[in-house]
Amino acid sequence: MKNLRTHGKSTIVWLLLGLMILGLGGFGVTSFSGGSTAIGSVGGTTITAEDYSRALRQQMNAYGQQTGQALTMAQAQAIGLPQAVQSQLITAAALEEQARRIGVSVGDDRVRQTIAEAPAFQGPTGSFDRTAYADVLRRENLSEAEFEREVRTDEARLLIQRAVAGGVNAPAPVVETTAKWILERRDVSWRELTADMLPAPIAQPDEETLKAWHSANADRFTAPELRKITYAWLTPEMLAPSVQLDEAALRAAYDANIDEYQRPERRMVSRLVFPTAEEAGAAKAQIDAGTAPFETFVIQRGLQPEDAELGEVSQADLGAAGEAVFALEQPGTVGPVQTDLGPALFSVHAILEPVNIPFEQAREDLRAEAAVDRAARTIEERSAEYEDLLAGGASLEQVAEETELELGTIDWSADAAPAEGSIAGYQAFRDRAAEISEADFPELANLDDGGVFALRLDQVVPPTLKPFEDVREEVEADWRRAEAHRQLLALAEEQRLSPAAPEGQPAPQWTEVKDITRDGWIEGAPAEAVTRAFAMAEPGEVEVVDAENRVILLRLDAIDEADLASEEALRINEAVRDRLGQSLQSDIFDYYARAVQRDAGIQLDQSAINAINAQVQ
């Protein structure tokens, strides 16, 4: 309930009522009273600047939580979020205006019930707590009368929403037709045509044909934009060999990570506590007899297997049970063992051998790791020096001469896979390489492994058609693939019209697939085949499927009508009814809200809206 006051009085009401339906869905819009600045109005109901700012911030925050990154105002405007928020506020204001005009209100009992059922005002027992109620209102500087008036207004608006859209149901014939369409199944047969089925090999193309193909399909033989870049960079791994480490530093690194080098035997263990030792013993007897595994008793106790897991433990971690558990020579179950929680069974899933790596054996690995860490700190400490050199006008070549940074050049393309160990393997480099211009000066930037780099764009080579002579083999291979595909399509069309095999030749082999659904698939065939199967009208029809550079003949064998009396059909039927009903309710409410807005009249202050947009970030 924190920060409720900054969200406007009726945010409390919004949290209580949860008006997450129809035109107001999810926008947290309730009251339009209060506030000294308005961005607009519907009739006599004002939309305050506070309402708009709060709702806009809420939506930007919600979007950021869904995407995992903060949404800027520029991005929000690009996707039309401010306009959507304004639309929701206008709709809510129209409902409040309509409630005022026609005199819709709710009684004290409904207001009292709403407040009493609000989780924000419930005490430890789950019932309404008068003290909590008063405390929340006091923190938000609200009187009970003011808050209850807001609740009454919101309830009246919700009452109109329900009256307009409630009780609207999807027509039964529409629901049935839709359910039948969804549940319909089909039987098909298919076969793929391949190049070895062509009556004759692909003829050898002449040079003119290939040159024409090269020109007509220039996009396939065009080298992408190339950026010639000079860069200077330094990574911890590059600097590590020159880092000096004494024995004391290595010993300190060993001691700091002693758990990696010295670790007693550990075991992966689950524990299940029973009310009595007798119950634990009975469960152990069934486990030993092989009639029920350990997990069965975990589930019988209303738990999931992970709830019983203790994870990786040492003998000391298990206390009194440690000796019995570590006495097992292989995974299994021990017990009952008396623990602080009661009699328990312990299931050992894995035995992890002890680790004993002395310092002398770990020295080389420690040196390599410690050297990289020291190098990363050195680079961080010296970054200011590198930046000063660049800011002072030093070229990358001069920086490389005066510091540890290494100079390099690269012909970089966004479409090319980076070579192993190349600076192009770093996302930070690729991002900078893609955006830099020839007018930009080199700037120091960080790599994700603690390194740094700076780059300069020397030249941009635009996309260029590769000379025919350089790609002749590639052009011929491409032409042959296209020509084979063209001939296969022609052959498929012939066989579609005359499916019978020529005299003296074996009948073609079809793969039969039964009971495919609209959201299903045909194993081994392109996804397009399912779409085409449900587009055919009559059994016996044959279609050519040209998809994923493959040629498929598809035959419809049978159409299986849906059985609307089945359990699956009843479930689908109910889902369709709900979905269509919600859609109809939404449409009806939308029409009603638009009519109310038109009758009452809408006024918006665009300058006030722009001012808020400029403030919200």
Side-chain angles (χ1 to χ4, degrees), residues 107-246:
D108 293 341
D109 290 342
R110 179 57 189 169
V111 173
R112 187 181 303 110
Q113 180 184 357
T114 298
I115 296 174
E117 293 176 354
F121 304 141
Q122 291 177 357
T125 63
S127 59
F128 177 74
D129 188 327
R130 181 77 188 184
T131 302
Y133 177 58
D135 184 54
V136 169
L137 296 188
R138 183 171 56 255
R139 288 201 309 268
E140 300 307 323
N141 196 26
L142 291 169
S143 68
E144 291 188 13
E146 183 180 13
F147 176 71
E148 289 164 9
R149 185 166 56 251
E150 298 293 344
V151 172
R152 194 183 308 276
T153 300
D154 283 346
E155 283 286 358
R157 184 164 55 245
L158 183 58
L159 190 63
I160 292 179
Q161 283 186 277
R162 289 171 175 166
V164 170
V168 175
N169 298 313
V174 175
V175 173
E176 182 176 325
T177 300
T178 304
K180 283 183 177 180
W181 183 86
I182 292 173
L183 294 169
E184 179 186 294
R185 297 173 180 268
R186 297 196 169 194
D187 300 343
V188 299
S189 296
W190 69 282
R191 60 188 180 90
E192 183 171 2
L193 276 63
T194 55
D196 58 352
M197 298 178 182
L198 293 174
I202 302 299
Q204 179 65 33
D206 57 32
E207 291 300 292
E208 292 305 316
T209 298
L210 293 180
K211 288 180 179 178
W213 187 260
H214 174 257
S215 298
N217 299 277
D219 59 313
R220 303 185 194 178
F221 311 110
T222 296
E225 178 185 273
L226 198 65
R227 298 188 144 219
K228 293 183 176 294
I229 291 173
T230 298
Y231 61 90
W233 71 321
L234 182 64
T235 68
E237 288 191 356
M238 293 163 60
L239 189 60
S242 64
V243 171
Q244 298 299 319
L245 295 170
D246 56 25

